[in-house]
């Protein structure tokens, strides 16, 4: 579950304790300095907001899928909790007629929370299936709409189902003295929540979710099924949100439909994005900053511009410091951060990651030189593949066989269907007819991630790295997929692969900071770390200089040999192709027009007519 | 049967207003890929402008054009201050920006005008009806439908006959290519906001006539109707938005009259849930603008 215990468990535990201490310490310090019940209440609600915001962060931060709906889950949990936790006597005045005997149940707060979590999880599973079906990924409108619908439907039901919820006016209220009396449960939940959020982000599932957040398609091509990771993240986050909502209702002492609607959605989302939605530290920072800013604005607004003993007498600022300022501050924070700092104050900086980097001794560079892995001969066969895009036939009965102990090239003029053939083989384009198989395994129309797990791994013509992850993390992602789904394959260690790709010096840099050549090398290394039977390389030298292309020949050969993979490579660079390939297929207008050794293909008249033109030897 | 026809006619009146709002949402989505949760704020702002004008003794004849002007100016202002700075940003940023503006505008009105509802007089003829056989038709609905038809024809003329319209349609189809072909992106986006402002203004006149009041949170409802109708119509498609608006209007009236007792209050929730289901089961069929990604 956790790739490296020290990095992924020990440090997050320490980081959790520090974050918890900072937030709670800061809150307690504030209420000690500002005595009075109001400041106590403020600090308590900050702790509960923190739990709620981290709950939302677990989903949005890890998957990158936007959700309006988490506060809607909160509404469901809040009402369920209230229905079960409030004593029958207190319910009798408002919902005496409630169906299913709900007016008479009373379970105590702990059981009520458990029931609330259960009920909310059931709804979350349904929503999760919906999101999965709609193909939710970061940036998809569908996710926004579905989650917004959840928020609205929950709200409407709360307003209209008066017999159970007490509706818009009455709501549900705890009896006097029955509400949350001590902060201890909040502390325990907060601590547990921070820990769960940090551990999830470091876990294998969390890392796979990050990969899909960075690039959905590339994640699929590396054998990750984003839907699974997103659903896991959703369920974990909904559990936290349900507990937070129960605590909130228990602390406030009553629930009305408005308690979990637009205003709370705005508040929690602002908290999330101000600190940085991609990290737990950021979420907590946002909670603290926004709570402080809101309180400051409230006091400045209601007490004129004298608050905390600071007076600005004589300055005509009445037009700013008036009631209603906190809401304006929230709105401004949301718009301002989106315009100037959409990733928040600290982006994906994480306290325990930073601690670890400070305390880490220099990593030992791997000393073992990687040996060539033994190759078994497996055939990759495409038979009679036809692909139609609307009226255009991109592939017209293409046939191809490549064995895993050779390097096969695929050439052809622009539009010949080379990339389409690779897309068909990797499940990204559906063929009209035709078959693709690897060894005995039929891969026709299989989903991309299953094809990758079966051992057919591709790179992309237009670089699709997990750009905000580091070089090492990029390689680690596919290495983790391999360790789980390709146990039989002999994959060297992550560091060995990074080193073999010539990226050792850059291992801790973000993929987005790499230059072009190194990005290409990383694509290759990431694909190789999956221990594939076949590497499908889509124009690995595009945009490279002649010198770099030649170097790439060595690189591709080396990588393929250390993981024992065959290679199918598309390229335009003839020096590269003839330099690296044992055999070449030439495609034209969607069909194979020639195949053979580089010399044979280059000498073929049809090929020269279609592709080489005047470039061939004369 | 009579009831159904009655419902449909009432629904078309309502739906016409939604269609105008939805068209504005669709136009913006077309050029910026922005689902504009701030669209309803144009009506909040013009509502307060109308309130101020009525307070100084203006009549509806003067207020109506004022509403359109204020709506256009507000749309351009919001574009200038906020949306122009997040152009091309991730969808996440775009959605939250518009969500933030939605709140900011209402918060500013709470702060400076107060949270209380401000009422003004509806026009005298608002409740008048005339009958065709057994069916009672509101004069108001008739006016709304007629004005909507004229507005849509004018919009179609702008889109089909002017250079701006051509540029806008090209940008909605494929913004990057349109830019390469020499479409001035600044001008198209500003024009799109002006157009959506004008459409929201016309819708706003009727909306405010019907409501007879405004409040800081008055923008939520028209925003939802516009967004929902645009979603039904497929977001990027302008024809779809208009049809979506009409469908939403009719669906609301029919659902409200057909759903039993308590559930009738759930109309909006039901519509929303249905749209979510559409997105779940037909994500491709619904979003006509989501072109397949090239790999």
């Amino acid at each position: 579950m956790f790739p490296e215990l020290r990095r992924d468990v020990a440090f997050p535990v320490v980081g959790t304790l520090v974050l918890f201490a900072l937030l709670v310490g800061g809150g307690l310090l504030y209420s000690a300095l500002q005595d009075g019940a109001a400041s106590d209440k403020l600090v308590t609600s900050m702790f509960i907001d923190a739990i709620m915001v981290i709950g939302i962060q677990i989903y949005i931060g890890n998957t990158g899928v936007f959700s309006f709906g988490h506060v809607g889950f909160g509404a469901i949990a809040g009402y369920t909790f209230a229905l079960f936790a409030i004593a029958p006597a207190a319910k009798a005045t408002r919902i005496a007629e409630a169906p299913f005997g709900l007016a008479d149940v009373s379970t105590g707060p702990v059981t009520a929370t458990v029931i609330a979590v259960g009920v909310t999880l059931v709804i979350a599973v349904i929503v999760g299936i919906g999101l999965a079906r709609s193909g939710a990924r970061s940036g998809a409108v569908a996710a926004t709409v579905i989650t917004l619908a959840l928020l609205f439907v929950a709200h409407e039901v709360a307003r209209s189902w008066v017999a159970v919820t007490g509706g818009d006016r009455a709501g549900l209220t705890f009896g006097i003295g029955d509400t949350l009396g001590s902060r201890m449960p909040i502390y325990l939940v907060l601590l547990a929540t921070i820990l769960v959020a940090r551990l999830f982000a470091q876990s294998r599932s969390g890392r796979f979710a990050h990969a899909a957040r960075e690039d959905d398609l590339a994640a699929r091509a590396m054998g990750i099924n984003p839907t699974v990771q997103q659903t896991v993240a959703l369920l974990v986050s909904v559990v936290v949100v349900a507990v937070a909502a129960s605590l909130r209702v228990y602390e406030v002492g009553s629930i009305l439909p408005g308690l979990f609607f637009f205003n709370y959605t705005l508040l929690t989302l602002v908290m999330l994005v101000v600190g940085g939605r991609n990290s737990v530290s950021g979420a907590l920072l946002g909670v603290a900053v926004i709570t402080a800013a809101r309180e400051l604005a409230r006091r400045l607004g209601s007490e004129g511009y004298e608050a905390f003993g600071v007076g600005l007498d004589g300055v005509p600022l009445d037009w700013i410091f008036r009631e209603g300022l906190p809401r304006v501050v929230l709105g401004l924070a949301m718009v301002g951060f989106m315009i100037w700092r959409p990733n928040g104050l600290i982006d994906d900086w994480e306290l325990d990651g930073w601690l670890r980097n400070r305390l880490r001794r220099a990593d030992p560079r791997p000393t073992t030189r990687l040996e060539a892995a033994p190759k078994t001969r497996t055939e990759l066969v495409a038979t009679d593949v036809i692909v139609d895009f609307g009226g255009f036939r991109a592939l017209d009965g293409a046939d191809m066989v490549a064995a895993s102990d050779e390097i096969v090239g695929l050439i052809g003029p622009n539009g010949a269907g080379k990339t389409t053939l690779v897309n068909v083989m990797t499940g990204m384009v559906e063929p009209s007819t035709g078959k693709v198989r690897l060894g005995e395994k039929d891969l026709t129309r299989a989903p991309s991630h299953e094809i990758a797990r079966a051992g057919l791994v591709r790179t992309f013509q237009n670089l699709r790295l997990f750009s905000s992850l580091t070089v090492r993390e990029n390689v680690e992602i596919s290495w983790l997929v391999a360790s789980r789904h390709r146990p039989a394959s002999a994959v060297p260690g992550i560091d060995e692969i990074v080193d073999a790709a010539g990226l050792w010096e850059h291992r801790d840099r973000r993929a987005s900071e790499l230059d072009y050549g190194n990005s290409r090398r990383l694509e290759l290394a990431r694909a190789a770390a999956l221990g594939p039977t076949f590497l499908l390389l889509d124009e690995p030298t595009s945009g490279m200089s002649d010198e770099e292309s030649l170097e790439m020949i060595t690189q591709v050969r080396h990588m393929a040999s250390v993981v024992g993979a065959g290679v199918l490579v598309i390229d335009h660079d003839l020096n590269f192709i003839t330099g690296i390939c044992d055999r070449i297929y030439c495609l034209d207008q969607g069909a194979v027009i020639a195949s053979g050794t580089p010399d044979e293909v280059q000498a073929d008249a049809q090929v020269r007519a279609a592709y080489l033109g005047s470039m061939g030897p004369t | 049967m009579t009831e159904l026809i009655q419902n449909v006619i009432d629904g078309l009146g309502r739906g016409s207003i939604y269609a105008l709002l939805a068209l504005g949402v669709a136009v913006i989505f077309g050029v910026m890929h922005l689902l504009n949760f701030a669209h309803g704020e144009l009506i909040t702002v013009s509502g307060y402008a109308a309130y101020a004008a009525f307070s100084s003794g203006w009549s509806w004849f003067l207020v109506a054009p004022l509403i359109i002007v204020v709506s256009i100016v507000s749309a351009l202002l919001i574009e200038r201050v906020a949306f122009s700075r997040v152009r091309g940003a991730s969808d996440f940023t775009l959605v939250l920006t518009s969500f933030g503006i939605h709140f900011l505008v209402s918060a500013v009105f709470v702060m400076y005008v107060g949270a209380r509802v401000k009422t003004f007089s509806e026009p005298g003829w608002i409740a008048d009806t005339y009958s065709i056989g057994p069916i009672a038709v509101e004069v108001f609905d008739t006016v709304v439908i007629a004005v909507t038809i004229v507005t849509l024809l004018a919009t179609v003329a702008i889109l089909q006959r002017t250079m701006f319209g051509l540029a806008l349609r090209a940008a909605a189809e494929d913004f990057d290519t349109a830019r390469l072909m020499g479409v001035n992106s600044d001008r198209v986006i500003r024009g799109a906001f002006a157009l959506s402002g004008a459409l929201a203004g016309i819708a706003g006149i009727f909306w405010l006539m019907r409501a007879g009041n405004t409040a800081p949170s008055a923008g939520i409802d028209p925003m939802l109707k516009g967004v929902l109708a645009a979603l039904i119509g497929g977001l990027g498609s302008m024809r779809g938005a208009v049809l979506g608006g009409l469908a939403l209007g009719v669906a609301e009236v029919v659902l409200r009259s057909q759903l039993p007792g308590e559930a009738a209050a759930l109309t909006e929730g039901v519509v929303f849930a249905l749209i979510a289901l559409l997105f779940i089961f037909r994500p491709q069929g619904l979003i006509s603008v989501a072109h397949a990604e090239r790999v």
Side-chain angles (χ1 to χ4, degrees):
Chain A
M1 208 170 151
F2 297 101
E4 290 173 23
L5 286 181
R6 200 174 125 86
R7 179 192 64 181
D8 298 326
V9 178
F11 272 96
V13 168
V14 174
T16 298
L17 292 173
V18 177
L19 287 174
F20 176 77
L22 284 174
L23 188 76
V24 171
L28 293 181
L29 188 66
Y30 175 80
S31 45
L33 293 176
Q34 304 277 317
D35 41 30
S39 68
D40 277 349
K41 203 144 188 81
L42 178 79
V43 171
T44 307
S45 65
M46 174 174 85
F47 294 154
I48 296 176
D49 291 344
I51 301 169
M52 180 65 89
V53 171
I54 293 177
I56 301 174
Q57 192 274 337
I58 292 175
Y59 185 66
I60 297 184
N62 288 308
T63 66
V65 180
F66 181 65
S67 165
F68 267 123
H70 276 67
V71 168
F73 287 122
I76 296 166
Y79 273 104
T80 312
F81 172 79
L83 277 170
F84 283 89
I86 295 176
K91 277 187 284 195
T93 53
R94 298 171 200 250
I95 53 163
E97 306 293 310
F100 320 120
L102 282 173
D104 302 319
V105 292
S106 178
T107 61
V110 177
T111 318
T113 308
V114 173
I115 296 171
V117 169
V119 169
T120 317
L121 269 179
V122 171
I123 308 283
V125 167
I126 297 168
V127 173
I129 292 170
L131 284 170
R133 263 212 71 126
S134 78
R137 55 192 164 81
S138 63
V141 179
T144 308
V145 174
I146 292 167
T147 54
L148 191 61
L150 172 75
L151 179 66
F152 259 86
V153 171
H155 181 70
E156 292 259 304
V157 170
R159 280 177 55 185
S160 334
W161 201 9
V162 182
V164 168
T165 64
D168 234 347
R169 301 235 158 68
L172 298 172
T173 305
F174 278 89
I176 293 161
D178 286 349
T179 56
L180 183 58
S182 121
R183 272 203 198 135
M184 195 41 81
I186 302 181
Y187 290 145
L188 292 177
V189 173
L190 180 59
L191 187 62
T193 300
I194 302 176
L195 187 63
V196 165
R198 280 304 300 133
L199 290 180
F200 180 73
Q202 298 296 119
S203 71
R204 177 157 37 190
S205 191
R207 286 172 184 277
F208 290 169
H210 297 168
R213 174 188 78 198
E214 296 298 315
D215 193 316
D216 188 83
L217 199 66
R220 288 173 197 275
M222 294 304 130
I224 293 168
N225 183 355
T227 311
V228 171
Q229 315 309 335
Q230 282 159 4
T231 309
V232 171
L234 180 70
L235 297 182
V236 174
S237 90
V238 162
V239 169
V240 173
V241 164
V243 175
S246 303
L247 279 173
R248 186 159 187 249
V249 172
Y250 200 22
E251 205 272 328
V252 173
S254 64
I255 182 168
L256 283 168
L259 191 66
F260 293 99
F261 197 46
F262 260 21
N263 285 336
Y264 200 51
T265 305
L266 173 77
L267 179 68
T268 47
L269 285 178
V270 171
M271 286 172 162
L272 182 61
V273 300
V274 162
R277 64 178 188 270
N278 291 336
S279 90
V280 177
S281 311
L284 287 174
L285 178 68
V287 170
V289 167
I290 289 300
T291 305
R294 213 158 73 112
E295 175 64 3
L296 186 65
R298 189 186 66 76
R299 295 182 62 162
L300 288 172
S302 62
E303 297 162 19
Y305 36 88
E306 261 189 8
F308 305 102
V310 183
L312 294 164
D313 281 336
V315 191
L317 291 172
D318 285 342
W319 64 277
I320 295 181
F321 298 131
R322 43 200 298 169
E323 303 269 341
L325 187 59
R327 256 178 86 89
V328 174
V329 168
L330 281 187
L332 278 177
M334 176 71 93
V335 177
F337 268 87
M338 283 303 109
I339 292 175
W340 286 293
R341 237 187 138 83
N343 285 334
L345 291 168
I346 57 174
D347 198 348
D348 57 2
W349 184 90
E350 203 66 83
L351 182 74
D352 52 77
W354 176 79
L355 275 177
R356 178 173 163 270
N357 281 337
R358 304 234 65 177
L359 298 175
R360 189 168 60 162
R361 274 160 278 135
D363 296 329
R365 184 169 178 158
T367 46
T368 47
R369 263 196 68 80
L370 293 176
E371 302 290 323
K375 292 193 183 198
T376 47
R377 189 178 162 95
T378 312
E379 281 191 340
L380 169 64
V381 185
T383 328
D384 198 21
V385 178
I386 295 179
V387 173
D388 292 301
F389 292 127
F392 174 68
R393 181 153 283 196
L395 282 179
D396 192 7
D399 288 300
M400 210 210 66
V401 181
S404 61
D405 56 1
E406 58 179 353
I407 295 183
V408 176
L410 195 54
I411 62 170
N414 278 327
K418 306 181 295 288
T419 295
T420 306
L421 185 55
V422 168
N423 284 346
V424 168
M425 290 174 171
T426 51
M428 291 173 185
V429 164
E430 199 159 295
S432 311
T433 62
K435 279 214 169 312
V436 177
R437 69 174 170 84
L438 178 65
E440 293 310 306
K441 195 163 177 173
D442 184 13
L443 295 178
T444 323
R445 292 188 184 84
S448 296
H449 61 268
E450 277 177 19
I451 293 177
R453 290 173 193 175
L456 205 54
V457 180
R458 70 173 296 175
T459 65
F460 293 90
Q461 190 176 333
N462 49 352
L463 289 177
R464 285 176 166 269
L465 295 169
F466 305 131
S467 52
S468 79
L469 305 186
T470 65
V471 167
R472 192 180 183 281
E473 285 169 333
N474 266 272
V475 174
E476 184 179 11
I477 296 278
S478 24
W479 190 87
L480 288 173
V481 176
S483 69
R484 174 128 182 203
H485 296 287
R486 296 185 55 69
S489 72
V491 190
I494 301 164
D495 287 329
E496 279 77 12
I497 295 173
V498 171
D499 192 32
L503 293 166
W504 182 253
E505 307 299 321
H506 305 292
R507 67 191 179 283
D508 288 327
R509 290 175 69 188
R510 286 177 199 265
S512 57
E513 295 166 3
L514 292 182
D515 62 29
Y516 194 78
N518 280 328
S519 301
R520 286 264 168 230
R521 277 173 211 118
L522 180 54
E523 275 246 344
L524 178 63
R526 185 182 63 177
L530 210 52
T533 316
F534 262 98
L535 275 166
L536 306 188
L537 308 178
D538 194 353
E539 299 203 16
T541 69
S542 101
M544 282 185 162
S545 67
D546 288 351
E547 212 171 305
E548 284 175 313
S549 295
L550 290 177
E551 209 185 297
M552 200 67 186
I553 295 182
T554 330
Q555 187 89 57
V556 169
R557 283 214 171 112
H558 183 49
M559 278 298 184
S561 87
V562 298
V563 297
V567 177
L568 175 65
V569 55
I570 298 179
D571 216 297
H572 278 299
D573 185 336
L574 274 181
N575 287 329
F576 173 74
I577 283 284
T578 50
I580 193 170
C581 291
D582 303 316
R583 282 193 308 128
I584 295 179
Y585 284 89
C586 182
L587 275 177
D588 189 31
Q589 295 180 7
V592 173
I593 55 169
S595 64
T597 64
D599 289 339
E600 288 166 10
V601 170
Q602 266 183 308
D604 187 288
Q606 248 185 312
V607 173
R608 287 168 63 179
Y611 179 59
L612 299 170
S614 58
M615 282 166 70
T618 46
Chain B
M1 190 61 201
T2 317
E3 193 193 349
L4 191 65
I5 296 175
Q6 180 77 57
N7 282 341
V8 169
I9 290 180
D10 292 349
L12 287 180
R14 229 175 234 272
S16 299
I17 304 181
Y18 300 167
L20 295 175
L21 290 167
L23 190 53
V25 172
V27 165
I28 302 299
F29 190 87
V31 293
M32 271 191 80
H33 213 265
L34 160 72
L35 190 51
N36 190 0
F37 287 104
H39 196 57
E41 298 317 302
L42 301 178
I43 291 188
T44 315
V45 177
S46 12
Y48 279 102
Y51 171 73
F54 283 122
S55 307
S56 8
W58 292 31
S59 75
W60 269 108
F61 285 104
L62 289 171
V63 170
L66 175 76
I67 288 175
I68 299 181
V69 171
V70 169
S71 180
I72 295 176
V73 171
S74 314
L76 288 172
L77 200 69
I78 291 174
E79 196 275 332
R80 193 57 182 262
V81 172
F83 289 137
S84 66
R85 297 168 203 269
V86 292
R87 239 180 248 170
S90 69
D91 290 18
F92 193 99
T93 305
L94 290 171
V95 163
L96 284 186
T97 307
S98 72
F99 193 58
I101 292 169
H102 164 77
F103 271 93
L104 189 55
V105 172
S106 76
V108 165
F109 280 111
V110 171
M111 188 160 154
Y112 289 105
V113 191
R116 298 248 314 270
V117 175
K118 302 285 183 194
T119 53
F120 36 79
S121 61
E122 298 141 16
W125 45 270
I126 192 98
D128 293 352
T129 56
Y130 58 92
S131 39
I132 308 173
I135 296 166
V137 184
E138 286 191 6
V139 176
F140 182 73
D141 280 343
T142 318
V143 175
V144 170
I145 293 171
V147 172
T148 302
I149 291 173
V150 174
T151 310
L152 292 178
L153 288 177
T155 309
V156 169
I158 291 174
L159 292 176
Q160 304 281 0
R161 298 282 162 80
T162 64
M163 271 312 281
F164 162 72
L166 185 65
L168 190 76
R169 284 186 295 140
E173 192 68 35
D174 186 338
F175 203 97
D176 293 329
T177 310
R179 275 216 333 226
L180 290 176
M181 297 295 136
V183 168
N184 179 332
S185 55
D186 267 356
R187 207 177 297 161
V188 169
I189 290 179
R190 258 180 244 142
F193 272 90
L195 179 60
S196 91
L199 293 167
I202 294 167
I205 295 171
F206 298 126
W207 192 282
L208 294 164
M209 277 183 176
R210 179 79 94 179
N213 63 50
T214 190
S217 58
I220 292 188
D221 239 15
M223 174 271 277
L224 277 177
K225 308 295 184 193
V227 168
L228 286 182
L231 288 172
I232 296 173
L235 265 181
S237 149
M238 302 185 203
R239 192 179 301 133
V242 173
L243 293 176
L246 296 176
L248 180 62
V250 173
E252 272 187 9
V253 175
V254 171
L255 281 177
R256 195 153 291 165
S257 76
Q258 302 296 324
L259 286 179
E262 268 186 6
L266 281 171
T267 308
E268 217 156 70
V270 171
V271 170
F272 222 135
L274 288 177
I275 291 172
L277 288 178
L278 261 175
F279 265 85
I280 290 170
F281 290 103
R282 298 211 45 200
Q284 284 81 21
L286 207 68
I287 310 175
S288 50
V289 288
H291 300 295
E293 217 171 344
R294 271 199 61 148
V295 289

